[in-house]
Amino acid sequence: MPDTESESPFIVFFSKQNEKCSRCSRPIMQGALLCVYRDHKLTCTGCERLGDHLLLPAGDVALTRRATKHSNVAHPVYSPEKRRNRYERRGTLVEAHALQLAEAECEADAADREVKRAKDAVRREKMDQEYIAVFAMRIRQLYPSCPEGLESEIAMHACEKHSGRVGRRETAREELDDESLKLAVRAHIRHTETPYDKLFERGYKKEQARDAVIDIVNRVERKWAAE
């Protein structure tokens, strides 16, 4: 069960199948909202006095924050995601008047928030560029004999946004560690200095391909690390 933002005894979900309210015995159809207590008792939103609430879909952080603030009672809504083995937040149940107030507030300062988003984007881009520069500089320090300019190429690849590579990991960004740098360099060597990629075409599995080229990777890494 996901943690809730309030002390409510129940959590609101989208029903995975047809159910029945344990209080009023009314049917709760698949895809409708239902309330689940910690002891797994199921109730309908009507019995929990949420029948008049509106479902505000997830995604607009400012609108959700303001609507929740104005609503006397607000509940996050979840749905289970089997593939990811977790609960995904799908929205928030809020009172109609609260949503109207929130929409008015968001419309009133939409221009200011757009300017702020643009400034934040520029700031994040500058921070990314500074981080990549430091990443590249540290590679050059660890591998003084690697080809000229290659440190920047490796850094940009390892730190590419949304890539999930070593340079984008929170641990690497919080404190640039040599292990992350070495992993990035070894990955570059593996893909550019060895037949690693071609081995996949021949049916090798990942670990088999890595084992097949590890001697080459180690040899090139030692060469680049030499003073």
Side-chain angles (χ1 to χ4, degrees):
M1 297 281 280
D3 292 330
T4 59
E5 297 177 348
S6 66
E7 297 179 355
S8 172
F10 61 83
I11 300 173
V12 183
F13 289 99
F14 282 104
S15 179
K16 296 184 294 182
Q17 59 191 26
N18 293 339
E19 300 283 1
K20 185 168 67 174
C21 179
S22 62
R23 289 186 187 172
C24 67
S25 298
R26 291 177 181 172
I28 302 173
M29 306 305 292
Q30 180 180 1
L33 296 178
L34 80 164
C35 307
V36 182
Y37 281 77
R38 296 292 178 178
D39 60 1
H40 303 295
K41 180 178 68 175
L42 307 179
T43 59
C44 65
T45 54
C47 287
E48 302 299 346
R49 298 182 179 178
L50 297 174
D52 294 333
H53 280 52
L54 300 177
L55 176 61
L56 173 58
D60 191 325
V61 177
L63 184 60
T64 299
R65 183 180 67 250
R66 287 169 169 174
T68 301
K69 179 185 69 175
H70 291 307
S71 188
N72 293 317
V73 177
H75 274 279
V77 178
Y78 298 89
S79 66
E81 292 293 327
K82 290 184 177 180
R83 287 181 298 175
R84 298 183 179 181
N85 194 30
R86 67 183 186 185
Y87 292 93
E88 295 278 349
R89 184 164 177 170
R90 296 304 182 189
T92 307
L93 281 176
V94 296
E95 294 169 331
H97 76 89
L99 181 56
Q100 292 175 350
L101 286 172
E103 288 175 336
E105 289 178 354
C106 286
E107 184 177 353
D109 66 358
D112 291 339
R113 286 187 292 114
E114 182 59 35
V115 170
K116 183 178 183 302
R117 277 195 293 268
K119 289 181 178 179
D120 288 344
V122 171
R123 178 179 55 82
R124 287 193 298 270
E125 183 63 26
K126 180 180 179 182
M127 290 175 63
D128 270 346
Q129 292 304 316
E130 291 174 349
Y131 172 64
I132 292 172
V134 173
F135 200 101
M137 180 179 67
R138 185 57 183 149
I139 288 176
R140 174 56 62 184
Q141 292 172 342
L142 291 173
Y143 298 96
S145 296
C146 79
E148 185 177 353
L150 192 60
E151 68 275 17
S152 296
E153 180 181 335
I154 296 174
M156 286 188 288
H157 183 75
C159 302
E160 185 178 351
K161 292 180 180 179
H162 313 300
S163 66
R165 300 188 185 110
V166 292
R168 298 307 299 188
R169 296 175 186 171
E170 284 302 317
T171 52
R173 292 182 65 83
E174 290 173 1
E175 183 177 351
L176 194 57
D177 60 295
D178 289 351
E179 185 61 28
S180 295
L181 293 156
K182 290 178 180 179
L183 287 173
V185 171
R186 289 180 65 82
H188 178 86
I189 295 172
R190 189 181 303 116
H191 287 286
T192 62
E193 302 289 332
T194 78
Y196 177 76
D197 292 328
K198 292 183 179 179
L199 293 178
F200 282 105
E201 299 174 6
R202 294 166 52 185
Y204 277 61
K205 293 184 178 179
K206 183 177 180 179
E207 291 305 319
Q208 290 177 319
R210 288 196 173 198
D211 289 342
V213 303
I214 191 169
D215 289 340
I216 302 176
V217 173
N218 290 340
R219 184 169 65 252
V220 174
E221 184 182 20
R222 287 195 298 269
K223 177 182 177 182
W224 289 1
E227 293 288 349

